[in-house]
Amino acid sequence: MIYITRKENFNAAHKLSRTDWSLEKNQEVFGKCANPNWHGHNYQLFVTVKGEVNPETGFLVDLKWLKQVINANVVDKLDHQNLNLDVDFMKGKLASTENLAIAIWDILNPIIVAEGVQLHSIKVYETENNFVEYLG
Amino acid sequence: MIYITRKENFNAAHKLSRTDWSLEKNQEVFGKCANPNWHGHNYQLFVTVKGEVNPETGFLVDLKWLKQVINANVVDKLDHQNLNLDVDFMKGKLASTENLAIAIWDILNPIIVAEGVQLHSIKVYETENNFVEYLG
Amino acid sequence: MIYITRKENFNAAHKLSRTDWSLEKNQEVFGKCANPNWHGHNYQLFVTVKGEVNPETGFLVDLKWLKQVINANVVDKLDHQNLNLDVDFMKGKLASTENLAIAIWDILNPIIVAEGVQLHSIKVYETENNFVEYLG
Amino acid sequence: MIYITRKENFNAAHKLSRTDWSLEKNQEVFGKCANPNWHGHNYQLFVTVKGEVNPETGFLVDLKWLKQVINANVVDKLDHQNLNLDVDFMKGKLASTENLAIAIWDILNPIIVAEGVQLHSIKVYETENNFVEYLG
Amino acid sequence: MIYITRKENFNAAHKLSRTDWSLEKNQEVFGKCANPNWHGHNYQLFVTVKGEVNPETGFLVDLKWLKQVINANVVDKLDHQNLNLDVDFMKGKLASTENLAIAIWDILNPIIVAEGVQLHSIKVYETENNFVEYLG
Amino acid sequence: MIYITRKENFNAAHKLSRTDWSLEKNQEVFGKCANPNWHGHNYQLFVTVKGEVNPETGFLVDLKWLKQVINANVVDKLDHQNLNLDVDFMKGKLASTENLAIAIWDILNPIIVAEGVQLHSIKVYETENNFVEYLG
């Protein structure tokens, strides 16, 4: 069993805010992350897959393929977008890093399984000091 | 002559967009940076001051003081805010990294000069791949 | 199950030295890390907690709370201190990164468990080339 | 159970290419990584060992010893070399990061076990965006 | 006067070796960098341009344009190539970081000047510990 | 004119404290940096030299030589030492990063000039957020 990781980046706006709560309640719970006019981050996304090395290629998985899959299905929908307003797979969810990691897992897992390898981990850095990992 | 630098961070939303241009014109000129619902960055700010070492303290300038000045006058007004909507010193300006660096210089320069040292440089990283430096 | 990590920093002095050994014996075992007048590091501390996402907030745990807990109970006692002389929870222990990680676990674990989540890992970087992880 | 990691670096040339395939076939499968005149990387190697802390020293393992073992057995054979042509333990293998991580595990594991600790992980970064981890 | 920098990366093979010197002489002068079967690096390239901010766009220069210019004229010719064998603008030159930085300046300078801004600096990192800057 | 930089690291203890001031006065001026039992840092040192490229070697200066000069004359005297107690060239000086950068310049400048190149800059990082540059 070997693990290979591909890192991609995206820059997005978001806020932590429930539409069924008042601004005061949102700011009490989420602090400055609830500021009404949005803020944003340079997110870093680490996708780790696992499986056996293919003896024909020496690869677990072709990283060019993995990069294309991540970009077409996830990064292109997130980059330079608003996580709360623009992203179909975040609709109706709080735009927390936790929910983002889980949503990315749900998108990538069937595609990666169909390639004959396993998705091991989705890791999302909101800042260098705060990051989330989801193992499914 | 010695140079000392303090680094601070802020996370903010912005877009590159002129209010007197159509969305199409803005996207033609600014690309995805003009997306209407904002995006954002983990900005890094490097403030460099220069002067002579004070023989009594071995300091060019007290970094605790410099940190407070940067935070009270700049970072607290930018962090978790929208550069286009929330920041008084960016009102009426395109929210480019260039304009941001110049605006930060204009705020900090008189405060630092009044302390008896000189402001040498304001450097703003929008991403690790794109950054601006302004020397006044 | 999801994992969230908060990174904090502290700058401290230490040496690797047993008080019941001679200087020669300490330097034979610990090399330059036993130099008598101390040396120091910019330590990085990564605290990872795990559990279920709270559907009300989209959070596993409030990172503002986690940051305060780490700082009040650990970082404020370590930062700009001497690990051998000044830190109550390191008294009588060799000031190795291993012992430091275990001691930090023992402090944070009951506080984090009382919040209804689990402590997964304490990771301490002494330098970018040397780091320790403790899983309890 | 505690984990300690030592990071080392090496700079090497390689290409992804099977000698029993044509250049066209190699470039179809491996893309620009099959370019005939080689390319290269600043590789980063993270070796993680695990076990119990020795109460006499506060160490899991002496990092000076671990550094010497990694350098003498692995890094000195890879640094400023060609992975396909110069490295005995890569002979006859595709010079992928996966195969490199497995080969390094096979070299270091018996040496580390003989010291009374366990090898937990070999992690090899080809670039900051692509890395492999092998757990044996 | 404002300065804006774009960072790009390329992975290449090279060796330090004069064809009119023996292997022994090359290894005496260049050490392991003269090893005959090449080695390689993850190079980082920082291109800094300077000039006045365009009031219409808030830009010194369009970074999308600058990125395309750097990639089409420099990075695409270096990435996954051998600096000694494959790169037209390094033919007949020692493949040192110094010569590489100067050659990149000579390519980019007329293109950037023709755009109405000035090239300020070409900075090339061979490793994180060794880098060269050329100011023309 | 070209500039080449070599980075080296050292880990040291220090405090900011004048022996002719009381502890109270030192803590009033220097804050937690005056804590009596020392603290420490992973310092990073960047030495930049400038001059003309030697056409015979493609080098401004041999980086192996520069590394040896920095280590023998500076790093070996600072690494795993106490800046206030153990370092001859810091005796009688406040152990600030400013004074450290100036002292390193004064040691390296005559050696580098004797080699036929010029010392351009000494840059010392105390933390990633605080650094000093001295140009002589």
Side-chain angles (χ1 to χ4, degrees):
Chain A
M1 185 73 74
I2 202 159
Y3 300 76
I4 197 160
T5 301
R6 176 73 195 172
K7 175 185 169 223
E8 297 290 340
N9 305 295
F10 56 93
N11 309 322
H14 84 142
K15 65 179 168 183
L16 295 177
S17 169
R18 292 181 61 126
T19 52
D20 57 341
W21 284 358
S22 68
L23 177 59
E24 290 69 29
K25 172 75 172 171
N26 275 309
Q27 290 187 323
E28 183 193 319
V29 174
F30 297 117
K32 62 186 177 180
C33 297
N35 282 354
N37 288 327
W38 322 97
H39 63 281
H41 299 288
N42 300 337
Y43 289 90
Q44 297 184 320
L45 168 62
F46 294 78
V47 177
T48 303
V49 300
K50 61 182 172 189
E52 302 289 333
V53 175
N54 179 337
E56 193 181 11
T57 59
F59 282 171
L60 166 59
V61 71
D62 182 351
L63 280 175
K64 296 187 302 295
W65 173 84
L66 184 58
K67 178 182 177 173
Q68 286 165 355
V69 162
I70 299 169
N71 282 329
N73 294 280
V74 176
V75 169
D76 291 351
K77 296 180 176 175
L78 293 167
D79 188 38
H80 284 75
Q81 302 294 338
N82 184 308
L83 302 187
N84 303 58
L85 300 179
D86 297 325
V87 182
D88 55 2
F89 58 82
M90 292 300 289
K91 282 283 162 59
K93 299 175 188 168
L94 279 154
S96 68
T97 317
E98 289 92 331
N99 282 343
L100 188 57
I102 295 170
I104 293 171
W105 174 285
D106 290 340
I107 293 169
L108 292 180
N109 191 42
I111 303 171
I112 285 168
V113 166
E115 189 72 6
V117 285
Q118 292 174 259
L119 181 56
H120 173 67
S121 156
I122 297 295
K123 203 169 185 175
V124 181
Y125 279 67
E126 191 181 72
T127 69
E128 67 171 315
N129 297 327
N130 296 338
F131 55 91
V132 160
E133 187 169 26
Y134 184 59
L135 304 183
Chain B
M1 184 75 72
I2 202 159
Y3 300 76
I4 196 160
T5 301
R6 175 73 195 171
K7 177 185 168 221
E8 297 291 340
N9 305 295
F10 56 93
N11 309 321
H14 83 141
K15 65 178 166 183
L16 295 178
S17 170
R18 292 180 61 128
T19 53
D20 57 342
W21 285 356
S22 67
L23 177 58
E24 290 68 29
K25 171 76 173 170
N26 275 308
Q27 291 186 322
E28 183 194 317
V29 174
F30 297 118
K32 61 186 177 181
C33 298
N35 282 354
N37 288 327
W38 320 97
H39 63 280
H41 298 288
N42 301 337
Y43 289 91
Q44 296 184 319
L45 168 63
F46 294 78
V47 177
T48 303
V49 300
K50 64 183 170 186
E52 302 289 332
V53 175
N54 178 338
E56 193 181 11
T57 59
F59 283 170
L60 166 59
V61 70
D62 182 352
L63 280 175
K64 297 187 303 296
W65 173 83
L66 184 59
K67 178 183 177 172
Q68 287 165 354
V69 162
I70 299 169
N71 283 329
N73 294 282
V74 175
V75 169
D76 291 351
K77 295 179 177 177
L78 294 167
D79 188 39
H80 285 73
Q81 302 294 338
N82 184 307
L83 301 187
N84 303 57
L85 301 179
D86 296 325
V87 181
D88 54 2
F89 58 82
M90 293 299 290
K91 281 282 162 60
K93 299 175 188 167
L94 279 154
S96 67
T97 317
E98 289 92 330
N99 282 341
L100 189 56
I102 295 170
I104 294 171
W105 174 285
D106 289 340
I107 293 169
L108 291 180
N109 191 42
I111 304 172
I112 285 168
V113 166
E115 190 71 6
V117 285
Q118 291 173 261
L119 180 57
H120 173 68
S121 158
I122 297 294
K123 203 170 185 175
V124 181
Y125 279 67
E126 190 182 71
T127 69
E128 65 171 316
N129 297 327
N130 297 337
F131 54 91
V132 160
E133 187 168 26
Y134 184 60
L135 303 182
Chain C
M1 184 75 72
I2 202 158
Y3 300 76
I4 197 159
T5 302
R6 175 73 195 171
K7 176 185 168 223
E8 297 290 340
N9 305 295
F10 56 93
N11 308 322
H14 83 140
K15 65 178 166 182
L16 295 178
S17 169
R18 292 181 61 127
T19 52
D20 57 342
W21 284 357
S22 67
L23 177 58
E24 289 68 29
K25 171 76 173 171
N26 275 308
Q27 290 187 323
E28 182 194 318
V29 175
F30 297 118
K32 62 187 177 180
C33 297
N35 282 354
N37 288 326
W38 321 98
H39 63 281
H41 299 288
N42 300 337
Y43 289 91
Q44 296 185 320
L45 167 63
F46 294 78
V47 177
T48 303
V49 300
K50 64 182 170 188
E52 302 289 332
V53 176
N54 179 338
E56 193 181 12
T57 59
F59 282 171
L60 167 57
V61 69
D62 182 351
L63 280 175
K64 296 187 303 295
W65 174 85
L66 184 59
K67 178 183 178 172
Q68 287 165 354
V69 162
I70 299 169
N71 283 329
N73 294 280
V74 175
V75 169
D76 291 351
K77 296 179 177 176
L78 294 167
D79 188 40
H80 284 74
Q81 302 294 338
N82 184 308
L83 301 187
N84 303 57
L85 301 180
D86 296 325
V87 181
D88 55 2
F89 59 82
M90 292 300 289
K91 282 282 162 61
K93 299 175 188 167
L94 279 154
S96 68
T97 318
E98 290 91 329
N99 282 342
L100 188 57
I102 295 170
I104 293 171
W105 175 284
D106 289 340
I107 292 168
L108 292 180
N109 192 43
I111 303 171
I112 285 168
V113 166
E115 190 71 6
V117 286
Q118 292 173 261
L119 180 57
H120 172 68
S121 157
I122 297 294
K123 203 170 186 175
V124 181
Y125 279 67
E126 191 183 72
T127 70
E128 66 171 315
N129 297 326
N130 297 337
F131 55 91
V132 160
E133 187 168 27
Y134 183 59
L135 304 182
Chain D
M1 185 73 73
I2 203 158
Y3 300 75
I4 197 159
T5 301
R6 175 72 195 172
K7 177 186 168 221
E8 298 290 342
N9 305 296
F10 56 94
N11 308 323
H14 83 142
K15 64 178 167 183
L16 295 178
S17 170
R18 292 180 61 126
T19 53
D20 57 342
W21 285 357
S22 67
L23 176 59
E24 290 67 30
K25 172 75 173 172
N26 275 309
Q27 290 186 324
E28 182 194 318
V29 174
F30 297 118
K32 62 185 176 181
C33 297
N35 283 355
N37 288 326
W38 321 97
H39 63 281
H41 299 289
N42 301 336
Y43 289 91
Q44 296 185 319
L45 167 63
F46 294 78
V47 176
T48 303
V49 300
K50 64 183 171 188
E52 302 289 332
V53 176
N54 179 338
E56 193 182 10
T57 59
F59 282 171
L60 166 57
V61 69
D62 182 351
L63 281 175
K64 296 187 302 296
W65 173 84
L66 184 59
K67 178 182 177 172
Q68 287 165 353
V69 162
I70 299 169
N71 283 329
N73 294 280
V74 176
V75 169
D76 291 351
K77 296 179 177 176
L78 294 166
D79 189 37
H80 285 73
Q81 302 294 339
N82 184 307
L83 301 187
N84 303 56
L85 301 179
D86 296 326
V87 181
D88 55 2
F89 59 83
M90 292 300 289
K91 282 281 161 61
K93 299 175 188 168
L94 278 155
S96 68
T97 317
E98 290 91 330
N99 282 342
L100 188 57
I102 295 170
I104 293 171
W105 174 285
D106 290 340
I107 293 168
L108 292 181
N109 191 42
I111 304 171
I112 286 168
V113 166
E115 188 73 6
V117 286
Q118 292 173 259
L119 180 57
H120 174 67
S121 157
I122 297 294
K123 203 170 185 174
V124 181
Y125 279 68
E126 190 182 72
T127 69
E128 68 171 313
N129 297 327
N130 297 339
F131 55 90
V132 160
E133 187 169 26
Y134 184 59
L135 304 182
Chain E
M1 185 73 73
I2 202 159
Y3 301 75
I4 197 159
T5 301
R6 175 72 195 172
K7 176 188 168 219
E8 297 291 340
N9 305 295
F10 56 94
N11 309 322
H14 83 142
K15 64 178 167 183
L16 295 178
S17 170
R18 292 180 63 127
T19 52
D20 57 342
W21 284 356
S22 66
L23 178 58
E24 290 67 30
K25 171 77 172 172
N26 275 308
Q27 290 187 323
E28 182 193 318
V29 174
F30 297 118
K32 61 185 177 182
C33 296
N35 282 355
N37 288 326
W38 320 97
H39 63 282
H41 299 288
N42 300 337
Y43 289 91
Q44 297 185 320
L45 167 63
F46 294 77
V47 177
T48 302
V49 300
K50 63 184 171 187
E52 302 289 332
V53 175
N54 178 338
E56 192 180 13
T57 59
F59 282 171
L60 166 58
V61 70
D62 182 352
L63 281 174
K64 297 188 302 296
W65 173 85
L66 184 58
K67 178 182 177 173
Q68 287 165 352
V69 162
I70 299 169
N71 283 329
N73 294 280
V74 176
V75 169
D76 292 350
K77 296 180 176 175
L78 294 167
D79 189 37
H80 285 73
Q81 302 294 339
N82 184 308
L83 302 187
N84 303 56
L85 301 180
D86 297 325
V87 182
D88 55 1
F89 58 82
M90 293 300 290
K91 282 281 162 61
K93 299 175 188 168
L94 279 155
S96 67
T97 317
E98 289 92 329
N99 282 342
L100 189 57
I102 294 170
I104 294 171
W105 175 283
D106 289 340
I107 293 169
L108 292 180
N109 191 42
I111 304 171
I112 286 168
V113 165
E115 188 72 6
V117 285
Q118 292 173 258
L119 181 57
H120 173 68
S121 157
I122 297 294
K123 203 170 184 175
V124 181
Y125 279 68
E126 189 181 71
T127 70
E128 66 171 316
N129 296 327
N130 297 338
F131 55 91
V132 160
E133 187 168 27
Y134 184 59
L135 303 183
Chain F
M1 184 75 71
I2 202 159
Y3 301 75
I4 197 159
T5 302
R6 175 73 195 172
K7 176 186 168 222
E8 297 291 339
N9 305 295
F10 55 94
N11 308 321
H14 82 142
K15 65 179 168 183
L16 295 177
S17 170
R18 292 181 61 127
T19 52
D20 57 341
W21 284 357
S22 67
L23 177 59
E24 291 68 30
K25 172 75 173 172
N26 275 307
Q27 291 187 323
E28 183 193 318
V29 174
F30 296 118
K32 62 186 177 180
C33 298
N35 282 355
N37 288 326
W38 321 97
H39 63 282
H41 298 289
N42 300 337
Y43 289 91
Q44 297 185 319
L45 168 62
F46 294 77
V47 177
T48 302
V49 299
K50 64 183 170 188
E52 302 289 332
V53 175
N54 177 338
E56 192 180 13
T57 59
F59 283 170
L60 166 58
V61 70
D62 182 351
L63 281 175
K64 297 188 302 296
W65 173 83
L66 184 59
K67 178 182 177 174
Q68 287 165 354
V69 162
I70 299 170
N71 282 330
N73 294 282
V74 175
V75 169
D76 291 350
K77 296 180 176 175
L78 293 167
D79 188 39
H80 284 73
Q81 302 294 338
N82 184 307
L83 302 186
N84 303 57
L85 301 179
D86 297 325
V87 182
D88 54 2
F89 59 81
M90 293 299 289
K91 282 283 163 60
K93 299 174 188 169
L94 279 154
S96 67
T97 317
E98 288 91 330
N99 282 342
L100 188 57
I102 295 170
I104 294 171
W105 174 285
D106 290 340
I107 293 169
L108 292 180
N109 192 42
I111 304 171
I112 286 168
V113 166
E115 189 72 6
V117 286
Q118 291 173 261
L119 180 58
H120 173 67
S121 157
I122 296 294
K123 204 170 185 175
V124 181
Y125 279 67
E126 190 182 71
T127 70
E128 67 171 314
N129 296 327
N130 297 337
F131 55 90
V132 160
E133 186 169 28
Y134 183 59
L135 304 183

